[in-house]
Amino acid sequence: LRLEEVLTEALKIVKPTKADESLLKDVIGEMENILRDEISGVDGILGISLEGSAAKNTWVRGREEADIFIHFDKNVPRDEMERKVIEIGFRAIKKAGGKPRLMYADHPYVEGVINGVTIDIVACYDVEPLNWLSATDRTPYHTKYIIERLKPGQEDQVRLLKGFMMGCGVYGAEIKVKGFSGYLTELLILNYGDFINVVKNAANWKPPIVIDIEGYYRSTEELLEIFKNQPLIVVDPVDMGRNVASAVSLTKLSEFILASRLFTSNPSLSFFKPRIKKPSIENLRELSAERNFLYIFFKLKEVKPPDVLWGELKRSEEGVKRALERLGFKVYRSDSWTDETESCLLIFELDTLKLPRFTLHRGPPIHLRTAKDFIEKWSGKAIGPWIQDDRLYVLKKRDEVDAVTLLKRELDLNRVAIAKGLASLIKNAKIDHGINSLIECSVDNPSMRSFINAFLNARPPFLSD
Amino acid sequence: LRLEEVLTEALKIVKPTKADESLLKDVIGEMENILRDEISGVDGILGISLEGSAAKNTWVRGREEADIFIHFDKNVPRDEMERKVIEIGFRAIKKAGGKPRLMYADHPYVEGVINGVTIDIVACYDVEPLNWLSATDRTPYHTKYIIERLKPGQEDQVRLLKGFMMGCGVYGAEIKVKGFSGYLTELLILNYGDFINVVKNAANWKPPIVIDIEGYYRSTEELLEIFKNQPLIVVDPVDMGRNVASAVSLTKLSEFILASRLFTSNPSLSFFKPRIKKPSIENLRELSAERNFLYIFFKLKEVKPPDVLWGELKRSEEGVKRALERLGFKVYRSDSWTDETESCLLIFELDTLKLPRFTLHRGPPIHLRTAKDFIEKWSGKAIGPWIQDDRLYVLKKRDEVDAVTLLKRELDLNRVAIAKGLASLIKNAKIDHGINSLIECSVDNPSMRSFINAFLNARPPFLSD
């Protein structure tokens, strides 16, 4: 397939039909009418606005959603603002026939699904740029900036870029992904003109990458000094002190660069539509043969905002990984998964599940006074001591060698840096190894099953065969 | 036991009785008479002399032996000298009723046992100091130097020091031991006066140690510069360019230092007479439980000089150790053994006998051109590739994980640096693990059994309990 053909086909995947579009506009129109009624006469509320991809015409087909912002006067206290947006949001969603849900990002907001469209009702303060009072105050300026600059046709280029990033697994600024936000894709299209020019440039990126559309900074050096240790720096045109790409991890950036390189050298629709195999239990068993896994599986006792939960999972994953390495295991890879409401899984691939029973312990050089203490300490308790070159050595005997048992003991002794919010859950979790017992946990859970499959395959979607 | 009591008891162990002494002197007298007859009128031979511990009265009880040197004119060619000493030596030993054996150190010599006394008949050139033509030419000067300087009573101090070093396993300059020669012990007594003063000083040694009895050098720095990387430097009073202690390994020096420290702080006869336990097979099995050994056992096809054989064994041990480490094993310890005539054993203690089936392989950073080659190379042949931070990784599958099989393959492919003289023997050796099959090799071989026991115990004699 040539590039043009691929892009034509890809556009069919990512671009909404006229019907999709009018459905979305209808739902938005209805919600806006309801909300205008709700806020009329309420003290401190200045108006509403449509934000996000619906406002900018950059949403991807099948991902119809609308962010409606309620603008508050800057003198309204934070708690009053939060109370009011919840109150109004709940009433409005109900009136439209939906089931309101309280959500939480930087501050609380209300979500509902109306005719298949996700509606988020969000609060912000009406402030001038750089006088931000809350994290959502920039959004109306982002929307305005993009709408004013996107030329006709560039909306579809944004859609292609988003679709490519979704297919490659790098789309989404949430902690679960640590990838690219919608606003970031729009800025990339503004900067490079169109989709193909973005990926052609990205194919040759060597991080750190710096993009300063408005030319706020004099030099790359200055930017790198200010945004230290950030692999991708895209200066926010609306706030020069902010990096729009601060959530992008080096891993996800690298995946995007590699996907871009592979796509430009060999364009294929598969980058937009990765084949997802549904593995049988036999497949999983084959894939896991002679490999060593340790996993931690537990059920949540309370619902929390996804970004909070994912942050706790990722921190705990890192803590367990470090504990296993301290114990003497090599951790080849690790990952976390949750359905965000009920089940959580941390999984680790190790070099071995059992450490050697004896381990070499190097003592002091024989000319030090401590040599005698070393001999007294270990005599009868270890193999040795013997002398090699100028030092004493013994072979220490481990009382326990099994990864699961050792990790459980470390957890009991509070020696593992796990997130406080998950500490008791992880201590009482099912900690085990072996693919069979893991498959047991994923019975009737296709999302978990496909995560396990992806972990066993250990390839990003664009490298799957 | 107080120090004086220990030394009194130790002296009983190391000092020959009057009967031992007169037996030795009788045998020597007889041999000297026979040899004087044999050399009379032979062209190029200037005379004979008694050398070694018998000449200096410093031999240890039970180790009666005599080195009788035949002095050649410096114009006699080397091959003629070698031919003549063999001829004369064989005839003389036979005349005395012994069975002559051809031996080899720096050059050939003849050995025989007469009335329980080992007699070595050795050739040297009669030259002035520093005009050495062969390695044995210094010996008469060493003997003369010691005899002229040892004061009455110091002979027994030498015997105590030799007995202590024998008990601690550090006596002997041969490659098998890499320890202290007899001449070196005599120089230490000359330098420090008596046994207890040697060990008191040695207890505080921190290598490198420099002893220059005749004060040939101006400074320690100069000496360290000339005798680089030698842990113990004792300048030969007879040849200032030679280090008498050049054969002493850092390990053996350290063992002597530690033994000296332990003896001075807690004198005991056990340093002179270590208790050697005779372990049962059950003991050996217990000692080896949950430990991992790999051994190489083979039989010699020809007899060679012990120092040649030991050198080959030690070099091969080191080569196998490096090969095992290159393969991914940790070699905790290793050692070699031979009866010097028939059987040889190399033994290695490892962390594990099986490597993990999968191993982490780090690829290039994704921004390099080689990233694509890496993906093509490994796709379908490994787990992954995946991206972590800015790099590609795969899990490579090992086709073979067993230490014995892997080592045999390396040997077949000539990838192990073993001594040429043992190459075919080691390639066809019994290479195995497991204490039972090792015990099989040592059936009817108490010397090998006690070596295995020492290796399993992994303690020098003075640290055994």
Side-chain angles (χ1 to χ4, degrees):
Chain A
L1 235 57
R2 282 178 319 158
L3 177 62
E4 294 79 48
E5 291 172 294
V6 169
L7 295 186
T8 307
E9 288 304 307
L11 203 56
K12 288 182 192 162
I13 298 172
V14 297
K15 191 180 162 85
T17 62
K18 286 285 157 201
D20 295 328
E21 198 174 332
S22 61
L23 171 70
L24 176 61
K25 299 288 160 164
D26 286 354
V27 171
I28 290 168
E30 189 196 344
M31 280 310 304
E32 285 179 326
N33 285 335
I34 293 171
L35 279 167
R36 272 191 215 101
D37 273 3
E38 287 293 332
I39 64 163
S40 86
V42 180
D43 228 31
I45 294 186
L46 308 172
I48 62 165
S49 68
L50 179 64
E51 309 292 340
S53 59
K56 296 175 278 190
N57 266 307
T58 56
W59 78 93
V60 168
R61 187 179 181 194
R63 299 237 186 169
E64 280 74 24
E65 55 172 22
D67 301 333
I68 305 178
F69 275 48
I70 301 177
H71 293 240
F72 285 80
D73 185 278
K74 63 174 180 286
N75 296 317
V76 177
R78 180 75 176 236
D79 56 345
E80 192 185 322
M81 174 182 91
E82 292 187 2
R83 194 162 31 79
K84 279 189 170 156
V85 77
I86 295 171
E87 220 177 276
I88 294 166
F90 265 69
R91 270 209 304 273
I93 297 285
K94 273 186 201 159
K95 263 196 194 166
K99 232 182 96 182
R101 250 180 89 195
L102 180 61
M103 304 292 282
Y104 197 100
D106 304 289
H107 47 69
Y109 65 98
V110 180
E111 187 174 286
V113 180
I114 312 292
N115 288 342
V117 176
T118 301
I119 306 286
D120 286 331
I121 298 167
V122 183
C124 72
Y125 284 110
D126 229 28
V127 291
E128 289 301 304
L130 307 187
N131 298 322
W132 323 116
L133 293 175
S134 79
T136 49
D137 302 351
R138 283 186 199 88
T139 305
Y141 292 97
H142 289 163
T143 307
K144 190 164 170 280
Y145 183 86
I146 296 297
I147 289 173
E148 285 176 2
R149 280 161 186 84
L150 271 188
K151 296 192 194 81
Q154 279 189 314
E155 294 96 337
D156 285 349
Q157 297 299 315
V158 172
R159 288 181 166 120
L160 284 173
L161 183 55
K162 285 183 179 176
F164 179 82
M165 287 178 165
M166 287 169 185
C168 294
V170 302
Y171 186 74
E174 61 271 27
I175 291 177
K176 176 185 177 177
V177 182
K178 290 186 182 164
F180 295 71
S181 70
Y183 180 46
L184 180 51
T185 61
E186 289 151 0
L187 291 177
L188 288 173
I189 292 296
L190 282 184
N191 191 61
Y192 291 108
D194 59 15
F195 164 72
I196 196 64
N197 210 27
V198 171
V199 293
K200 272 187 181 162
N201 274 277
N204 295 311
W205 280 352
K206 182 185 169 187
I209 294 300
V210 161
I211 295 171
D212 179 10
I213 296 176
E214 292 294 323
Y216 286 131
Y217 293 87
R218 276 163 305 177
S219 70
T220 303
E221 288 66 41
E222 196 186 348
L223 264 162
L224 291 176
E225 181 59 32
I226 290 166
F227 299 102
K228 266 197 198 103
N229 298 323
Q230 305 193 24
L232 177 60
I233 300 158
V234 179
V235 180
D236 192 345
V238 156
D239 182 346
M240 68 180 279
R242 186 174 166 264
N243 174 15
V244 178
S246 64
V248 179
S249 70
L250 179 55
T251 300
K252 286 291 151 179
L253 174 60
S254 300
E255 288 181 359
F256 176 60
I257 293 171
L258 187 60
S260 297
R261 177 121 39 97
L262 296 174
F263 180 81
T264 48
S265 77
N266 189 20
S268 152
L269 205 58
S270 69
F271 287 84
F272 294 87
K273 203 170 65 177
R275 273 185 301 149
I276 289 152
K277 285 191 216 154
K278 290 218 174 144
S280 66
I281 289 180
E282 258 322 298
N283 292 150
L284 293 181
R285 228 175 247 140
E286 245 172 69
L287 255 172
S288 68
E290 297 192 270
R291 293 163 69 185
N292 301 304
F293 300 101
L294 179 149
Y295 69 86
I296 301 176
F297 178 79
F298 57 94
K299 303 239 174 188
L300 292 167
K301 295 237 166 79
E302 43 166 359
V303 176
K304 34 185 131 188
D307 255 18
V308 173
L309 177 58
W310 278 104
E312 289 175 344
L313 283 173
K314 283 287 166 193
R315 285 202 307 285
S316 303
E317 178 193 326
E318 188 58 34
V320 171
K321 187 184 165 199
R322 282 204 308 272
L324 287 166
E325 283 172 343
R326 202 170 54 232
L327 287 165
F329 298 93
K330 280 184 193 150
V331 180
Y332 291 154
R333 309 155 50 234
S334 65
D335 208 351
S336 309
W337 169 88
T338 178
D339 54 17
E340 300 184 357
T341 51
E342 199 188 353
S343 301
C344 297
L345 177 67
L346 307 179
I347 186 164
F348 305 85
E349 181 156 13
L350 309 178
D351 58 340
T352 180
L353 289 171
K354 281 193 193 306
L355 297 173
R357 178 63 72 181
F358 287 91
T359 173
L360 188 68
H361 180 51
R362 199 175 84 149
I366 52 89
H367 64 263
L368 292 187
R369 279 165 176 275
T370 50
K372 268 178 78 174
D373 307 333
F374 183 85
I375 295 167
E376 271 158 34
K377 178 174 176 186
W378 291 108
S379 280
K381 294 189 201 73
I383 304 290
W386 72 91
I387 294 161
Q388 173 68 45
D389 295 331
D390 66 343
R391 278 191 184 269
L392 286 158
Y393 292 84
V394 291
L395 286 180
K396 276 203 288 194
K397 189 169 182 172
R398 289 190 172 100
D399 64 334
E400 186 53 67
V401 296
D402 177 72
V404 170
T405 315
L406 283 164
L407 179 62
K408 280 180 178 168
R409 187 164 69 184
E410 292 295 288
L411 283 166
D412 283 343
L413 295 168
N414 295 315
R415 285 197 202 137
V416 187
I418 48 179
K420 261 193 189 162
L422 300 179
S424 78
L425 293 175
I426 288 179
K427 281 190 189 182
N428 297 300
K430 177 173 183 178
I431 302 181
D432 207 346
H433 56 82
I435 194 69
N436 286 331
S437 73
L438 186 55
I439 288 169
E440 269 172 44
C441 300
S442 74
V443 165
D444 301 327
N445 197 330
S447 151
M448 182 168 157
R449 183 74 63 89
S450 81
F451 165 79
I452 294 169
N453 180 44
F455 188 77
L456 292 180
N457 269 295
R459 269 175 289 186
F462 60 91
L463 285 179
S464 292
D465 50 15
Chain B
L1 236 57
R2 279 179 321 158
L3 178 60
E4 296 78 48
E5 292 172 294
V6 169
L7 295 186
T8 307
E9 289 303 308
L11 203 56
K12 288 180 190 163
I13 297 172
V14 297
K15 190 179 164 85
T17 61
K18 287 283 161 207
D20 297 327
E21 200 174 333
S22 61
L23 171 70
L24 176 61
K25 300 287 165 172
D26 288 352
V27 173
I28 289 169
E30 188 195 347
M31 279 311 303
E32 285 177 327
N33 286 335
I34 293 172
L35 279 167
R36 272 191 214 99
D37 275 1
E38 288 292 332
I39 64 164
S40 87
V42 180
D43 226 33
I45 293 184
L46 307 172
I48 61 165
S49 69
L50 179 63
E51 309 293 339
S53 58
K56 297 176 275 191
N57 266 308
T58 56
W59 77 92
V60 168
R61 185 179 182 195
R63 299 237 187 171
E64 281 73 23
E65 56 174 20
D67 301 332
I68 304 178
F69 276 48
I70 301 178
H71 294 240
F72 285 80
D73 184 278
K74 62 173 182 286
N75 296 317
V76 177
R78 179 75 174 236
D79 57 346
E80 193 185 322
M81 172 182 93
E82 292 186 3
R83 196 164 29 81
K84 280 190 171 154
V85 77
I86 294 171
E87 222 176 276
I88 294 166
F90 266 68
R91 271 208 305 273
I93 297 285
K94 273 185 200 156
K95 264 194 194 164
K99 231 182 99 183
R101 249 179 90 195
L102 179 60
M103 305 293 282
Y104 197 98
D106 304 290
H107 48 69
Y109 65 98
V110 180
E111 188 174 285
V113 181
I114 313 292
N115 287 344
V117 176
T118 301
I119 305 286
D120 287 329
I121 298 168
V122 183
C124 72
Y125 284 109
D126 229 28
V127 292
E128 288 303 303
L130 306 186
N131 298 322
W132 321 119
L133 291 175
S134 79
T136 49
D137 302 351
R138 284 186 199 87
T139 305
Y141 292 96
H142 290 162
T143 308
K144 189 165 169 277
Y145 184 86
I146 296 297
I147 288 174
E148 285 177 2
R149 281 163 186 82
L150 271 189
K151 296 191 193 79
Q154 279 189 314
E155 294 96 338
D156 286 347
Q157 296 300 315
V158 172
R159 288 181 165 119
L160 283 173
L161 183 54
K162 285 183 179 178
F164 179 82
M165 286 179 166
M166 287 169 185
C168 294
V170 302
Y171 186 74
E174 61 270 29
I175 292 177
K176 176 185 177 177
V177 181
K178 291 185 180 166
F180 295 72
S181 69
Y183 180 45
L184 180 52
T185 60
E186 290 152 358
L187 291 176
L188 289 173
I189 291 297
L190 282 185
N191 191 62
Y192 292 108
D194 59 15
F195 164 71
I196 196 63
N197 210 27
V198 173
V199 293
K200 270 186 184 163
N201 274 277
N204 295 311
W205 280 352
K206 182 187 168 184
I209 294 300
V210 161
I211 294 171
D212 180 10
I213 295 175
E214 293 294 323
Y216 288 132
Y217 293 88
R218 276 163 305 176
S219 69
T220 302
E221 289 67 40
E222 196 187 348
L223 263 163
L224 291 176
E225 182 59 31
I226 289 166
F227 300 101
K228 269 199 196 97
N229 299 322
Q230 305 194 24
L232 177 60
I233 300 159
V234 179
V235 180
D236 191 346
V238 157
D239 182 347
M240 68 179 278
R242 186 173 167 265
N243 174 16
V244 178
S246 64
V248 179
S249 70
L250 179 55
T251 299
K252 285 292 151 179
L253 176 60
S254 299
E255 288 181 358
F256 176 60
I257 294 170
L258 187 60
S260 297
R261 179 121 38 96
L262 296 174
F263 180 80
T264 49
S265 76
N266 189 20
S268 152
L269 206 58
S270 68
F271 287 84
F272 295 86
K273 203 171 66 175
R275 273 185 300 150
I276 290 152
K277 285 191 214 155
K278 291 218 173 146
S280 66
I281 289 180
E282 257 323 296
N283 291 151
L284 293 181
R285 226 174 249 139
E286 243 171 68
L287 255 173
S288 68
E290 297 192 90
R291 292 164 71 184
N292 301 303
F293 300 101
L294 179 148
Y295 68 86
I296 300 176
F297 177 80
F298 57 94
K299 302 238 175 192
L300 293 167
K301 295 235 166 81
E302 43 167 358
V303 176
K304 34 185 131 189
D307 255 18
V308 173
L309 176 59
W310 278 104
E312 290 176 344
L313 284 173
K314 284 288 167 192
R315 285 203 306 285
S316 302
E317 178 193 326
E318 188 57 34
V320 171
K321 186 183 166 201
R322 282 204 310 271
L324 288 166
E325 283 172 342
R326 204 170 53 233
L327 287 166
F329 297 93
K330 280 183 194 151
V331 180
Y332 291 155
R333 309 156 48 235
S334 65
D335 208 351
S336 309
W337 169 89
T338 178
D339 53 17
E340 301 184 358
T341 51
E342 197 188 355
S343 302
C344 296
L345 177 68
L346 307 179
I347 186 164
F348 304 86
E349 180 155 12
L350 309 177
D351 59 339
T352 179
L353 288 172
K354 282 194 192 305
L355 297 173
R357 178 63 72 180
F358 288 91
T359 172
L360 189 67
H361 180 50
R362 199 175 83 149
I366 52 89
H367 65 263
L368 292 187
R369 278 165 176 274
T370 50
K372 268 177 79 174
D373 308 334
F374 183 84
I375 294 167
E376 270 158 35
K377 179 174 177 187
W378 291 107
S379 280
K381 293 190 202 73
I383 304 290
W386 71 90
I387 295 160
Q388 174 68 45
D389 296 331
D390 66 343
R391 277 191 184 268
L392 285 158
Y393 291 84
V394 291
L395 287 180
K396 276 203 288 194
K397 190 170 182 169
R398 289 190 172 99
D399 63 336
E400 187 52 65
V401 296
D402 176 72
V404 170
T405 315
L406 282 165
L407 179 62
K408 281 180 177 167
R409 188 164 69 185
E410 292 296 289
L411 284 166
D412 284 343
L413 294 168
N414 294 316
R415 286 198 201 134
V416 187
I418 48 179
K420 259 193 189 161
L422 300 179
S424 77
L425 293 175
I426 288 179
K427 280 188 189 185
N428 296 301
K430 177 172 183 180
I431 303 181
D432 207 346
H433 56 82
I435 194 69
N436 287 330
S437 72
L438 186 55
I439 289 168
E440 269 171 44
C441 301
S442 74
V443 165
D444 301 327
N445 197 329
S447 150
M448 182 169 159
R449 183 73 63 87
S450 83
F451 166 78
I452 294 169
N453 180 44
F455 188 77
L456 293 180
N457 270 296
R459 268 175 289 186
F462 60 90
L463 285 179
S464 292
D465 50 14

